[in-house]
Amino acid sequence: MEGIVRNQSLRQLNTFGIDVAAAGYAPFTNVAGLLQLLEHIPPSQLAMVLGGGSNILFTRPVEGYVLHNRIEGIEVVAQDDACVYVRAGAGVVWHHLVAYAVQQGWGGLENLSLIPGSVGAAPIQNIGAYGVELKDVLHSLEALEIATGQVKTFTAAACAFGYRNSYFKQAGKNKYIITSVTCKLQKQPRINTSYGAIAQELQAMGLAQPTIADVSQAVIRIRQSKLPDPAVTGNAGSFFKNPVIPLHKMEQLRQQHPTLPGYPDAHEKIKVPAAWLIEQCGWKGYRRGDAGVHPKQALVLVNYAHATGQEILQLSQDIADSVLQKFGIALEREVNVW
Ligand code: FAD
Ligand code: NAP
C-alpha cells in the first residue's frame, strides 16, 4: 500500500537516537488515512503508534508496523466568558500548541513549555512540569479504538489521570490511538510561579509582574540550562518517576539520611526526587561507553553517540539496583521500553 515503507530506520524518530529498524513504517495525517492503514495491516502486526519518540527506548528491532502520527491542525472549537476550548491534532508538536496559546494570551499551558513530543502522546503519561499537569487543562480527547475503528470521545475523568499515568497506560494500553486533544484555556490567566526555580528565574529576568509569556520564557530558559537537547545528546527526559513513599518510611529514612528531600503528596505520602537518590549513589555524570547519566540532571540517561538500547537499559537497571540497596526504594521507569 502507498505510504508504507519496509525496513525503516527509526534512528531519526526517537530522541535517544537508538539505531533500530521497523519491518514496516507508515505515517498518517488524518483519521481516514489511519483507518485505511488499519484495514491493510493485520492487528497482530501493528506494533505501535509513534509521536515524537521522546519517551521511548528501543532495545530491539520492531518486527511489526510503526504508525507515525502526523495529524496537524489547531482550532478554537468553543468559548465562553472565561474559557477558550482549543482542539489540536495529535501530531501537532506539543510546544507549538503551548506557543500558540501563549501568543493568544490564553493561560494554562505556559508551565508546560518546551516539553518535547506530540500532542497525542501528552495524555498517555499525563505530562507534567513545574506544578502543572495535562490533567489540569485537558477538556477531552478523541481516540480511535483499534478493534472497532470507531472514534470515541474521552472526558478528562474517563482518562483516569494520575502522576505520569492514565487509562491509556493501564486498561486502555495499546487499544486506542489518540487523534486529537481539546484543552480548556483561561482568558484571564492565573500565573503559577511557585514551583521549582520559576520565581527565581523571573527575578533574574527583572520581571516583578510576569505575564504568561514571561513564565513560558522562564521555563524555557531553565530547561535549556539544565536539560540536554536531544538534537545534540540523545535522551528521553526523566528515565524514572519520582517515587512516592509513605510518611513513616520517610521518617525512618531521614534518621539515616537527614538531608533527604521530600514534597508532601496526597494520603500521608511523600514524593522523593529520584534525581537526588541517584546522585547520592554516585551516578551523576557517570559514563559507560556511550551510555551515561547526565552531569546536570541525574534523572536523565543519555546516549552520547552509539549506545544501544540494551546498554542504556542495563545502566538503568544498575542504577535502580543501587538505589534499592542504599534506600530500600524501588524506582519505577517512566520511559516506555520496547
Ligand atoms: P512517543 O515517545 O512517540 O510515544 C510515547 C508512548 O506513547 C509510546 O508508548 C507510544 O506508543 C504512545 N503514543 C504516542 N502517541 C500516541 C497516540 N497518538 N495515541 C496512542 N498512543 C500514543 N515528560 C513530562 O511529562 N514532563 C517533562 O517535563 C518532560 N521533559 C522532557 C524533556 C526532554 C529533554 C525529553 C527528551 C523528554 C521529556 N519528557 C517530559 C518526556 C516526553 O517528552 C513526553 O512523555 C511526551 O509526551 C512524549 O511524546 P512523544 O510524542 O515523543 O511520545
Ligand atoms: P527540580 O525543579 O530540580 O525539582 C526536582 C524534583 O522535585 C522534581 O522532580 C519535582 O517533582 C520536585 N519538586 C520541585 N519543586 C516542587 C514543589 N514545589 N512541589 C512538589 N514537588 C516539587 O526539577 P527539574 O529536574 O529541574 O525539573 C523541573 C520540572 O520539569 C519538574 O516538574 C519535572 O517533573 C519536569 N521535567 C520532567 C521531565 C520528564 O521527562 N518527565 C524531564 C525534565 C523535567 P515533579 O517531577 O513531580 O514535578
Side-chain angles (χ1 to χ4, degrees):
M1 189 189 155
E2 205 187 335
I4 292 184
V5 179
R6 308 273 167 207
N7 199 28
Q8 166 75 45
S9 165
L10 299 178
R11 186 169 194 163
Q12 301 294 329
L13 299 175
N14 72 98
T15 61
F16 255 126
I18 301 296
D19 197 7
V20 293
Y25 163 88
F28 57 93
T29 55
N30 53 42
V31 173
L34 172 58
L35 279 168
Q36 246 183 352
L37 285 170
L38 292 177
E39 273 168 23
H40 281 78
I41 297 170
S44 62
Q45 285 184 38
L46 173 59
M48 72 171 76
V49 58
L50 199 61
S54 65
N55 202 16
I56 191 150
L57 176 67
F58 288 107
T59 62
R60 59 193 162 95
V62 181
E63 278 164 14
Y65 286 81
V66 170
L67 303 188
H68 195 182
N69 189 341
R70 309 291 289 272
I71 301 178
E72 288 294 335
I74 299 179
E75 58 178 334
V76 173
V77 288
Q79 52 184 309
D80 53 34
D81 287 350
C83 300
V84 185
Y85 297 79
V86 177
R87 179 166 61 205
V92 169
V93 170
W94 172 259
H95 184 68
H96 292 175
L97 174 61
V98 175
Y100 167 81
V102 168
Q103 204 177 18
Q104 303 296 322
W106 299 331
L109 301 181
E110 56 280 1
N111 291 41
L112 301 175
S113 294
L114 217 62
I115 296 180
S118 61
V119 163
I124 305 289
Q125 74 158 12
N126 179 28
I127 58 168
Y130 297 101
V132 174
E133 291 179 330
L134 183 71
K135 73 170 175 52
D136 303 323
V137 281
L138 182 136
H139 171 264
S140 59
L141 62 79
E142 289 182 317
L144 185 139
E145 189 177 29
I146 296 169
T148 62
Q150 281 180 0
V151 175
K152 297 193 168 175
T153 300
F154 288 75
T155 60
C159 294
F161 289 125
Y163 169 61
R164 303 289 189 267
N165 208 350
S166 75
Y167 169 75
F168 303 100
K169 278 191 104 169
Q170 302 296 329
K173 193 174 164 78
N174 298 330
K175 291 186 181 153
Y176 293 91
I177 296 174
I178 295 173
T179 55
S180 75
V181 171
T182 301
C183 293
K184 182 181 176 180
L185 304 176
Q186 306 300 322
K187 286 184 174 172
Q188 299 203 319
R190 288 183 292 273
I191 303 282
N192 174 356
T193 60
S194 59
Y195 206 90
I198 299 185
Q200 213 179 322
E201 187 65 32
L202 287 166
Q203 211 178 11
M205 290 160 75
L207 297 163
Q209 305 238 294
T211 62
I212 56 169
D214 298 329
V215 172
S216 175
Q217 268 314 306
V219 169
I220 289 171
R221 285 167 65 133
I222 304 167
R223 293 182 74 98
Q224 286 177 335
S225 72
K226 269 182 100 160
L227 292 168
D229 177 356
V232 179
T233 309
N235 76 93
S238 305
F239 200 87
F240 301 101
K241 295 181 187 178
N242 288 321
V244 178
I245 62 173
L247 199 52
H248 66 85
K249 172 140 186 157
M250 184 71 177
E251 281 158 6
Q252 273 171 11
L253 278 168
R254 275 210 174 127
Q255 286 171 9
Q256 265 186 299
H257 309 280
T259 56
L260 175 64
Y263 297 93
D265 209 71
H267 311 300
E268 302 256 299
K269 295 207 165 162
I270 301 272
K271 181 181 66 183
V272 177
W276 189 91
L277 302 172
I278 296 169
E279 191 175 346
Q280 293 298 306
C281 293
W283 291 103
K284 196 174 186 179
Y286 175 87
R287 181 167 178 168
R288 181 191 291 166
D290 272 347
V293 180
H294 193 253
K296 290 188 186 164
Q297 170 48 288
L299 200 44
V300 177
L301 302 194
V302 292
N303 174 13
Y304 284 106
H306 302 292
T308 63
Q310 282 293 346
E311 286 166 343
I312 289 171
L313 186 64
Q314 184 59 55
L315 175 59
S316 78
Q317 275 161 1
D318 294 348
I319 291 170
D321 286 350
S322 72
V323 168
L324 183 62
Q325 204 173 18
K326 190 172 171 84
F327 297 102
I329 295 177
L331 291 180
E332 199 186 322
R333 270 198 306 263
E334 180 175 311
V335 168
N336 300 282
V337 172
W338 174 264

